[in-house]
Amino acid sequence: MDSADGLKGRGLDAAERDVIALGIAIAAIILFIGTGGSALPQAVGALLNGGKAPDLFLTNALLLNIALLIFGWRRYNDLRREIRERFAAEQQARELAERDALTGCLNRRSGPAAIEALRQRLATRGQELVVLMIDLDNFKQINDVHGHKVGDLVLSTIGRRLETALPADSVIVRVGGDEFVCAFAGPQNSLEHIDNRVAAMIAQASRPVLTDNTSVEATVSIGITRSDADRADDNDVTPETLIHRADIAMYHAKKQGRNRAHWFAAEMEDELRYRNELEANIRAAVANDEFVPFYEQQVDIGTGELAGFEMLARWDSPRYGMVSPDIFIPVAEEIDLISELSEKLMRKALLDAVDWDASLTLSVNVSPVQLRDPWFAQKLLQLLVETGFPPARLEIEITESCLHENVSTVRSIVTSLKNQGIRIALDDFGTGYSSLSQLRTLPFDRMKIDRSFVSELATDGRGRELVEAIVSLGKSLALPVTAEGVVSNEILSYLQSLGEMKGQGFLYGEPADVKATRALLASLGLLRSSQDEELAFEELPRVSVG
């Protein structure tokens, strides 16, 4: 017998005992009336007049009836107490099933039904239902820095503050780890009233949370939507639909800088649908090997000689055509596919460049996500071994944002790569958070000036002071410089006046696929035979991946 059957059996036994006890009590009352009617008069007469004593059998029967009545009364009281306790237990179980244990808010299971009940009540009064999706900003960081106990305190405190900021007839639901949904009445055509209330909620929730040892800063981002009785397509809207819309708006609030609110708009759903389709297509594209390397020339601006190429990622999609990395790289990073995508591209690029002239370098950009992987250096070195590409001809480009995220891990990876002869460039210098101390302690081999600064050289000379400062810094640190975005002879002439450096940009040609790149190299006599490549590679130190 399983547990459910066992409970059912025990419940049936208890019911049978209750029926038996009730039957005994009724029988005892009937017998008491019968025996008492005979035995009691005899006992009273014997006591008052000295008459004959009552019959012993009747006396025993009367005493037994009295005992049975006492038993029945006690069992009746036990039944009443048991019913009260059972009702209280059922109430507690229902409360536990419907409430979040930490914050006391409704939970995901009971929240939608409560929101729907509120919507129906408001509809009878001609009012709209406003639904908010509230998410704590950087809550994982709070847990990581202060511990989960403090994180729980922050959640419970924010839950109470939100409840305090809401009208009396409102619903608050904890739908996820750090997500809340609030629903309340909003007067029709009164967006300003709703905005003011939401602003007050943000201010209330964002006050520091005091703990025993410290003060924790917590902010929230809020998405707002409402049921509009004037819209035909909202007459049958469900709580789940409203929560979904508020959730979409909340993510737009986060994109705009967090600690703010954003209203839902219909086009957001189209954007989300496109984003979901894009994610699915990127996953399929990685599996189908649709990403291809393009190559942008890097030229010595003084001599005009070709010095190497930077590998740029392109998506040769059957559906979208040739897609720019500005579109798919951020998405690939968010869905954790950038490492696999990048490794496949690097393998292709290393194989493409293995028979270039020994004077030509290959530059490859590395995502900040990849530099969080402590095994990245070993993976890259393994690619060099598999493709036979000389490490001295490879240059890895790291953006300044990588240094800001985890400088100790980056230092370890950079050191491992440098020990194998790979060169390291600091990409997009001037756009991030690097400091002079990081430039001195990290073994960079090159600095790259961001194209946004170089392009300003052609517009009334703006940005010249910054470019000159970067070039001067590079000279003082003995770091060669590469300028991106060389698109005109005017920019080239100015850069030439600053001294030796490399340049890349549309002035030297647009990025090209492997076929066009090999044709260019062949025309310049910069392709080596496989035999020459093999001999040259044997002269280089072997790469160790152990």
Side-chain angles (χ1 to χ4, degrees):
M1 179 182 292
D2 60 21
S3 59
D5 292 338
L7 290 173
K8 184 177 180 181
R10 288 196 295 273
L12 182 59
D13 292 341
E16 290 175 347
R17 290 197 302 269
D18 294 342
V19 172
I20 293 172
L22 180 61
I24 292 173
I26 294 174
I29 293 173
I30 295 173
L31 288 174
F32 178 78
I33 294 173
T35 57
S38 300
L40 286 178
Q42 293 179 16
V44 173
L47 182 63
L48 297 178
N49 304 320
K52 181 181 178 180
D55 184 82
L56 181 61
F57 175 78
L58 290 177
T59 301
N60 290 336
L62 179 61
L63 293 175
L64 178 60
N65 288 340
I66 292 173
L68 291 175
L69 285 173
I70 294 173
F71 167 77
W73 176 256
R74 291 186 60 183
R75 182 56 186 161
Y76 171 73
N77 284 334
D78 289 343
L79 285 173
R80 291 186 60 189
R81 183 174 64 253
E82 184 177 343
I83 290 172
R84 288 196 302 269
E85 291 175 353
R86 187 177 299 176
F87 179 77
E90 290 176 353
Q91 286 288 96
Q92 185 179 11
R94 188 179 300 110
E95 190 77 8
L96 290 173
E98 295 179 352
R99 293 278 175 181
D100 172 59
L102 177 62
T103 63
C105 303
L106 294 176
N107 58 26
R108 183 188 294 270
R109 178 181 178 182
S110 59
I115 293 174
E116 175 61 19
L118 176 61
R119 187 180 73 87
Q120 292 181 5
R121 291 197 303 272
L122 296 178
T124 61
R125 302 200 297 260
Q127 290 180 293
E128 293 178 323
L129 175 71
V130 179
V131 175
L132 311 178
M133 173 63 78
I134 303 173
D135 184 85
L136 272 70
D137 300 325
N138 298 318
F139 182 68
K140 182 179 183 301
Q141 183 177 353
I142 294 175
N143 274 333
D144 292 343
V145 174
H146 301 284
H148 289 275
K149 184 177 180 180
V150 172
D152 288 347
L153 175 63
V154 171
L155 283 173
S156 58
T157 302
I158 296 297
R160 288 194 301 271
R161 290 176 179 177
L162 294 175
E163 188 173 8
T164 302
L166 289 169
D169 189 17
S170 300
V171 174
I172 179 169
V173 186
R174 185 185 177 196
V175 294
D178 59 345
E179 290 183 332
F180 296 86
V181 168
C182 299
F184 59 92
Q188 285 186 333
N189 302 321
S190 182
L191 299 183
E192 183 178 357
H193 171 84
I194 298 172
D195 286 336
N196 291 338
R197 181 173 293 280
V198 171
M201 293 177 69
I202 292 176
Q204 180 80 348
S206 300
R207 290 189 292 110
V209 177
L210 302 179
T211 67
D212 294 337
N213 301 319
T214 186
S215 173
V216 180
E217 299 287 339
T219 61
V220 296
S221 297
I222 301 181
I224 316 171
T225 190
R226 58 177 179 158
S227 62
D228 191 345
D230 294 334
R231 286 177 50 186
D233 59 345
D234 263 12
N235 291 334
D236 298 323
V237 72
T238 64
E240 289 79 6
T241 302
L242 294 172
I243 292 173
H244 175 66
R245 292 175 179 175
D247 192 37
I248 294 173
M250 182 269 294
Y251 278 104
H252 277 262
K254 284 188 176 294
K255 288 180 181 178
Q256 292 181 350
R258 305 176 187 269
N259 194 30
R260 64 191 64 211
H262 199 286
W263 277 89
F264 170 80
E267 55 268 20
M268 292 181 186
E269 284 188 300
D270 297 332
E271 180 181 336
L272 181 64
R273 191 176 299 109
Y274 171 75
R275 167 59 184 258
N276 291 336
E277 291 177 358
L278 185 61
E279 287 185 11
N281 286 319
I282 289 175
R283 294 182 190 277
V286 172
N288 297 332
D289 209 19
E290 296 175 4
F291 295 95
V292 294
F294 271 48
Y295 301 97
E296 183 176 28
Q297 298 179 49
Q298 294 180 328
V299 177
D300 184 317
I301 65 169
T303 64
E305 294 181 357
L306 182 63
F309 294 87
E310 178 181 353
M311 188 271 285
L312 304 174
R314 294 292 185 268
W315 179 12
D316 189 8
S317 170
R319 179 173 183 178
Y320 303 115
M322 196 62 69
V323 183
S324 166
D326 294 338
I327 295 176
F328 64 81
I329 290 294
V331 179
E333 289 179 337
E334 290 182 20
I335 62 178
D336 201 24
L337 278 179
I338 189 62
S339 295
E340 182 180 357
L341 188 159
S342 181
E343 287 172 17
K344 287 187 174 184
L345 279 173
M346 284 193 287
R347 183 187 300 275
K348 291 180 180 180
L350 293 174
L351 290 172
D352 290 343
V354 74
D355 62 346
W356 294 353
D357 188 83
S359 64
L360 299 179
T361 60
L362 174 67
S363 298
V364 177
N365 288 284
V366 175
S367 165
V369 177
Q370 292 176 274
L371 289 179
R372 298 171 193 159
D373 179 7
W375 296 100
F376 170 74
Q378 284 72 17
K379 292 177 181 178
L380 180 56
L381 296 174
Q382 184 64 43
L383 284 176
L384 292 175
V385 171
E386 293 174 2
T387 58
F389 190 86
R393 289 177 51 205
L394 180 63
E395 185 173 87
I396 297 297
E397 298 186 4
I398 298 175
T399 60
E400 287 187 272
S401 58
C402 297
L403 308 182
H404 182 62
E405 288 188 6
N406 194 341
V407 68
S408 60
T409 302
V410 173
R411 181 180 288 109
S412 174
I413 292 174
V414 167
T415 302
S416 297
L417 297 177
K418 286 277 294 182
N419 288 340
Q420 300 299 333
I422 298 172
R423 285 178 279 188
I424 311 296
L426 180 60
D427 194 18
D428 299 338
F429 183 77
T431 62
Y433 305 94
S434 62
S435 64
L436 289 178
S437 63
Q438 291 171 339
L439 289 176
R440 294 180 62 185
T441 58
L442 288 171
F444 289 109
D445 298 289
R446 179 171 295 274
M447 293 168 52
K448 297 191 72 174
I449 307 175
D450 186 68
R451 68 181 69 250
S452 62
F453 303 138
V454 176
S455 63
E456 291 182 352
L457 298 175
T459 56
D460 300 327
R462 291 186 303 171
R464 291 191 176 187
E465 295 83 358
L466 182 56
V467 171
E468 291 173 0
I470 295 174
V471 172
S472 176
L473 177 62
K475 291 179 180 178
S476 65
L477 296 174
L479 291 178
V481 173
T482 297
E484 297 178 307
V486 181
V487 296
S488 67
N489 287 314
E490 179 185 356
I491 293 177
L492 176 61
S493 297
Y494 179 75
L495 292 174
Q496 288 173 334
S497 68
L498 299 180
E500 296 182 1
M501 69 177 72
K502 289 183 182 179
Q504 63 185 87
F506 290 169
L507 180 64
Y508 302 110
E510 295 187 7
D513 61 16
V514 60
K515 184 177 179 180
T517 301
R518 292 186 67 82
L520 171 66
L521 293 176
S523 68
L524 298 174
L526 294 176
L527 283 179
R528 296 187 296 175
S529 67
S530 58
Q531 183 178 2
D532 292 339
E533 176 64 31
E534 183 177 345
L535 292 174
F537 185 70
E538 288 179 353
E539 296 174 357
L540 293 168
R542 292 299 182 184
V543 176
S544 171
V545 294

